[in-house]
Amino acid sequence: MVEKRSFGSFGPEVPLGTGRGQRAAHLYILSNDALTVRLSDLGAAIVGIDAPDGTGELADVVLGFDEAAAYYPDSQGTYFGATVGPSANRVEGATVAIEGATYRLPANEGANNLHTDAVRGLHAQLWHAEADEARDRVTFTLELAPGEPGSDLELPGRRAFSVTYELDGHCLRMTYEAATDAPTFINLTNHSYFNLAGQASGSVAAQELAVFAERFLPIDGASIPTGELRPVAGTPFDFRAPKAIGRDIEAADEQLERGHGYDHCFCIDGYEPDDGTGGLPEPRLAARALDPASGRGMELWTTLPGLQLYTGNFIGGVAGKGGHVYEDRGGFALEPEFYPASPSHPAFPSAIFRPGRPYRAVTEYRFFTAEPVPGA
Ligand code: BGC
């Protein structure tokens, strides 16, 4: 089932793109026997996911806000649930070279760029929505065009983005596509923060996580990957077997100090580049998370090469749904994406797309239940 509702109006008008000049956002609610998912056309964002625990009890497992006005502008820079792009995560020196030309993004984190632009990025745009009742599916679309003042987000190409959310049993599938008429840089992600005990249940330190990555990307003092792919073995970054998120998070480790906890990209095993010509690529199992106390779990499958684990190191004090004030580590984000700073590391998988190589990615959240372990 797909239901459409008002999500209220928000502050300043959206400055560009499909929703230019508009101030009203809408919720699209997908539901089936297993899951209820609330989506917003503001930021093509996930606003809520109700999923069952081991006893069948539902809880909303993503952090967020009750109304559109709290999402835009995103004054606390949380990017809760949003589609982030066209350049998610960090770009070193805020510059991208494409076929000999240099493009400058805003230097909004020291000399570097984070998440494109806080007030103009794709997460801050009103997308066009198309619901497909028969398939429990909603598609959000948005176009960026060069030449219109400010509306190219500093990158080349007329780009048509689409994000489709679809429910399939216990799975929420997200399909991302972007066509461009000129070579350009595209790195999209979904920025949901999960708390599998329920969004208002405090620290996620006791929740278990497995990340299927032999290697991760160490960062410098400005959170830019150095270019090294470091084996996780023998480090606090070894999540190959499930462990509590908080088990090693306070370990004396230079990388954890630089990230103030986990804020690092893992190189998901088995990545195969997609040349954009065949059928959609098949996602691989990237991570599995479980709240042992409730038995509520989720697997993340993706076609993308990287997975940023961000343990909500700076979200303390943000007032979210139902007035609940989140604490640091009150949620963990798993952001499937191309590696951060790929433009400055030619050995990283390329996020340059062209007319003959459209951007395509599939990410799935597959929810599951387990026997609850009381007191875990
Ligand atoms: C980044 C964090 C940042 C967060 C919210 C994550 O993708 O890696 O450093 O604090 O987004 O902006």
Side-chain angles (χ1 to χ4, degrees), residues 220-252:
D220 68 13
S223 288
I224 298 290
T226 59
E228 181 190 350
L229 276 63
R230 186 177 292 174
V232 296
T235 79
F237 293 81
D238 191 350
F239 281 93
R240 290 172 300 171
K243 69 175 177 187
I245 291 171
R247 196 187 83 178
D248 298 331
I249 203 167
E250 304 295 350

Side-chain angles (χ1 to χ4, degrees), residues 31-310:
S31 55
N32 65 8
D33 291 349
L35 301 172
T36 297
V37 175
R38 290 173 288 282
L39 307 165
S40 170
D41 49 7
L42 178 60
I46 297 176
V47 166
I49 302 178
D50 299 339
D53 72 5
T55 66
E57 195 171 320
L58 294 173
D60 182 355
V61 296
V62 291
L63 278 53
F65 302 112
D66 288 325
E67 51 195 20
Y71 281 90
Y72 183 80
D74 181 7
S75 48
Q76 294 152 109
T78 61
Y79 295 80
F80 280 159
T83 297
V84 183
S87 175
N89 210 312
R90 293 177 173 83
V91 167
E92 185 171 15
T95 56
V96 184
I98 303 167
E99 310 223 315
T102 299
Y103 297 87
R104 287 196 174 278
L105 301 172
N108 60 6
E109 195 185 57
N112 305 314
N113 177 267
L114 173 65
H115 297 330
T116 307
D117 187 289
V119 292
R120 297 184 304 134
L122 296 184
H123 71 286
Q125 301 299 326
L126 201 59
W127 295 56
H128 174 77
E130 204 74 52
D132 179 347
E133 275 281 346
R135 301 282 305 268
D136 287 335
R137 182 160 87 171
V138 176
T139 297
F140 296 102
T141 55
L142 185 120
E143 251 196 58
L144 292 179
E148 289 175 37
S151 68
D152 54 5
L153 291 169
E154 286 74 58
L155 289 165
R158 176 176 287 275
R159 286 147 288 163
F161 295 92
S162 80
V163 184
T164 297
Y165 291 94
E166 180 175 9
L167 277 187
D168 181 3
H170 285 78
C171 170
L172 172 62
R173 180 174 306 117
M174 289 153 277
T175 305
Y176 296 82
E177 289 176 275
T180 177
D181 69 358
T184 193
F185 178 69
I186 301 176
N187 189 13
L188 307 179
T189 197
N190 180 279
H191 209 285
S192 290
Y193 296 65
F194 298 93
N195 186 326
L196 294 174
Q199 56 90 24
S201 5
S203 171
V204 294
Q207 295 178 26
E208 290 173 3
L209 181 67
V211 180
F212 302 101
E214 293 286 335
R215 293 173 299 175
F216 77 106
L217 302 179
I219 54 176
D220 68 13
S223 288
I224 298 290
T226 59
E228 181 190 350
L229 276 63
R230 186 177 292 174
V232 296
T235 79
F237 293 81
D238 191 350
F239 281 93
R240 290 172 300 171
K243 69 175 177 187
I245 291 171
R247 196 187 83 178
D248 298 331
I249 203 167
E250 304 295 350
D253 177 273
E254 186 182 51
Q255 284 301 315
L256 288 172
E257 281 157 26
R258 289 182 176 171
H260 301 272
Y262 295 104
D263 192 2
H264 293 76
C265 186
F266 288 79
C267 310
I268 300 304
D269 299 335
Y271 170 67
E272 303 263 356
D274 168 41
D275 70 4
T277 56
L280 277 174
E282 281 295 316
R284 316 166 326 279
L285 177 60
R288 182 183 290 124
L290 174 69
D291 172 39
S294 65
R296 193 180 286 107
M298 185 192 86
E299 290 180 347
L300 189 148
W301 292 63
T302 188
T303 59
L304 288 161
L307 187 72
Q308 181 90 3
L309 168 62
Y310 170 54

